[in-house]
Amino acid sequence: MARKPETQILNPPGDAISAVRFSPQTNKFLLVSSWDSCVRLYDVVSNSLRHKFYHTAPVLDCAFLDSMKTVSGGLDNTVKLYDLNSHTENVLGSHNAGVKCVESCKLLNAILTGSWDKSVKMWDLRDKECVGTYEQSNGKVYSMSCIDEKLVVATSERKVLIWDLRNMANYLERRESSLKYQTRAVRCFPNKEGYVMSSIEGRVAVEYFDPNPEVQKKKFAFKCHRAKEDDIEHIYPVNAISFHSVYNTFATGGSDGYVNIWDGFNKKRLCQFHLYDCSISSLCFSDDGSTLAIACSYMDEAETPPDPIPDPTLYVRYVNEQETRPK
């Protein structure tokens, strides 16, 4: 029997979904953090909830460290480790304000956390201790992405900080965001050439690390997640970005309820999926690029909230080459 291109996951979180992350090297397990103070592990093949564990406040981000260990952080200011095999949890440490971002750096066997206290911390996974706190005066950490030794941090003051993780004493570069409005998400290209960032004002920017003027000429920004109704343009935040690891194409999710796939190098939209239940709050491609997790949650963006407010929903979409491969 042919597999459906998309599956709705049963038993979704009870409040807005903050992050979805596939387990490394497989598209079977999906880690999901939520504003209901819980982190859940789903088996998307059997469409079942396998584990759940708790923080004492909303969880803002989560990540896999390997196929059986996870890290999460949120508004209780703590960074928690959870072992899915032994069902044991440990508090790794804390920030002085909410933990907005968690990232695993396999190259250094480290965890990186970014907080609303305007700091980035690096944690040694073996010794379970903080090996550095990197204060910066550029605003709260809103989004963060690392690829090998490169770390990109986007802040509330529209700054983008680029670090070399092997020498965190000073950031390599501080850039002004090329987008005029608040940053929602930043993600590094899998080929390590640059990063893509999005804003609340329906725009996405494609940026390059190499400072060579010839390379910098290639950077660009484009409008997306907008709609015209009765000659009025409605502009929606672009909340989520996820890269296809094989093709370097990427998905964006907006508060318009749409997911688009883009070829950033050739400045083309490859496809748009159907309209989802409400705002797309998080996206994640599996490591092999065959599956895309899509989280839908109302994100308090409307002046007049819908009545009733839609329940969070979670989907996995089995994407094909036509949707994700550059033309």
Side-chain angles (χ1 to χ4, degrees):
M1 201 165 77
R3 180 171 66 179
K4 286 181 183 175
E6 192 170 275
T7 301
Q8 184 170 348
I9 299 300
L10 302 175
N11 301 306
D15 204 343
I17 298 164
S18 54
V20 288
R21 302 282 179 259
F22 271 109
S23 175
Q25 278 85 54
T26 174
N27 54 5
K28 181 176 166 69
F29 294 115
L30 185 69
L31 195 67
V32 178
S33 59
S34 168
W35 279 75
D36 67 4
S37 306
C38 186
V39 182
R40 293 166 171 81
L41 180 79
Y42 293 91
D43 180 330
V44 301
V45 176
S46 64
N47 199 348
S48 59
L49 176 62
R50 294 289 293 269
H51 298 288
K52 58 202 280 197
F53 47 98
Y54 293 90
H55 282 247
T56 57
V59 190
L60 302 183
D61 203 4
C62 60
F64 278 97
L65 305 175
D66 59 32
S67 57
M68 281 296 138
K69 292 187 180 70
T70 71
V71 60
S72 50
L75 291 183
D76 56 7
N77 304 358
T78 60
V79 182
K80 269 193 174 184
L81 299 176
Y82 191 83
D83 188 311
L84 298 166
N85 263 339
S86 59
H87 306 296
T88 52
E89 61 178 67
N90 291 291
V91 173
L92 182 61
S94 65
H95 278 266
N96 295 324
V99 181
K100 178 62 173 70
C101 308
V102 296
E103 288 274 312
S104 166
C105 174
K106 292 175 180 57
L107 189 73
L108 301 178
N109 205 15
I111 293 168
L112 298 153
T113 56
S115 168
W116 288 343
D117 67 8
K118 302 185 180 181
S119 77
V120 173
K121 290 190 178 191
M122 183 186 281
W123 311 81
D124 185 313
L125 203 46
R126 289 154 298 202
D127 299 332
K128 309 247 184 323
E129 64 178 24
C130 182
V131 293
T133 300
Y134 310 99
E135 309 282 347
Q136 43 82 25
S137 57
N138 300 281
K140 299 173 181 178
V141 175
Y142 271 5
S143 189
M144 202 163 82
S145 181
C146 77
I147 182 87
D148 292 347
E149 76 287 350
K150 278 270 190 347
L151 173 68
V152 178
V153 176
T155 76
S156 58
E157 293 177 14
R158 293 182 46 255
K159 297 294 186 285
V160 179
L161 309 173
I162 300 167
W163 262 288
D164 184 327
L165 292 170
R166 298 163 300 187
N167 177 20
M168 290 284 287
N170 294 295
Y171 39 78
L172 293 174
E173 203 180 338
R174 182 180 78 161
R175 297 180 178 181
E176 186 86 14
S177 168
S178 54
L179 303 174
K180 288 181 189 170
Y181 293 88
Q182 188 191 95
T183 306
R184 267 289 159 89
V186 67
R187 286 289 174 267
C188 293
F189 270 98
N191 66 5
K192 301 196 286 185
E193 285 184 18
Y195 57 91
V196 168
M197 61 191 296
S198 66
S199 79
I200 59 167
E201 191 245 349
R203 280 181 198 266
V204 167
V206 177
E207 303 274 345
Y208 293 88
F209 291 129
D210 190 337
N212 183 312
E214 287 305 307
V215 176
Q216 287 300 311
K217 275 183 194 169
K218 294 195 293 181
K219 73 178 192 177
F220 68 100
F222 60 93
K223 297 176 182 179
C224 54
H225 297 281
R226 295 168 177 231
K228 257 200 169 158
E229 230 175 85
D230 302 325
D231 284 336
I232 297 168
E233 188 173 43
H234 298 272
I235 299 169
Y236 298 91
V238 185
N239 305 313
I241 302 167
S242 183
F243 269 98
H244 192 285
S245 61
V246 182
Y247 297 135
N248 283 294
T249 52
F250 60 91
T252 60
S255 290
D256 57 350
Y258 283 103
V259 175
N260 295 325
I261 309 281
W262 306 91
D263 174 0
F265 292 113
N266 295 310
K267 304 183 183 180
K268 282 181 181 170
R269 185 170 76 179
L270 297 173
C271 69
Q272 181 179 74
F273 300 154
H274 63 84
L275 181 63
Y276 286 89
D277 313 275
C278 58
S279 302
I280 309 299
S281 56
S282 185
L283 294 169
C284 185
F285 273 112
S286 59
D287 269 9
D288 66 357
S290 68
T291 313
L292 180 66
I294 300 164
C296 306
S297 309
Y298 176 64
M299 297 174 72
D300 288 327
E301 59 269 85
E303 282 179 39
T304 309
D307 185 22
I309 288 172
D311 291 328
T313 50
L314 194 54
Y315 298 88
V316 290
R317 185 179 181 94
Y318 301 99
V319 293
N320 58 47
E321 228 174 60
Q322 203 177 343
E323 294 169 326
T324 55
R325 187 175 189 159
K327 298 282 191 288

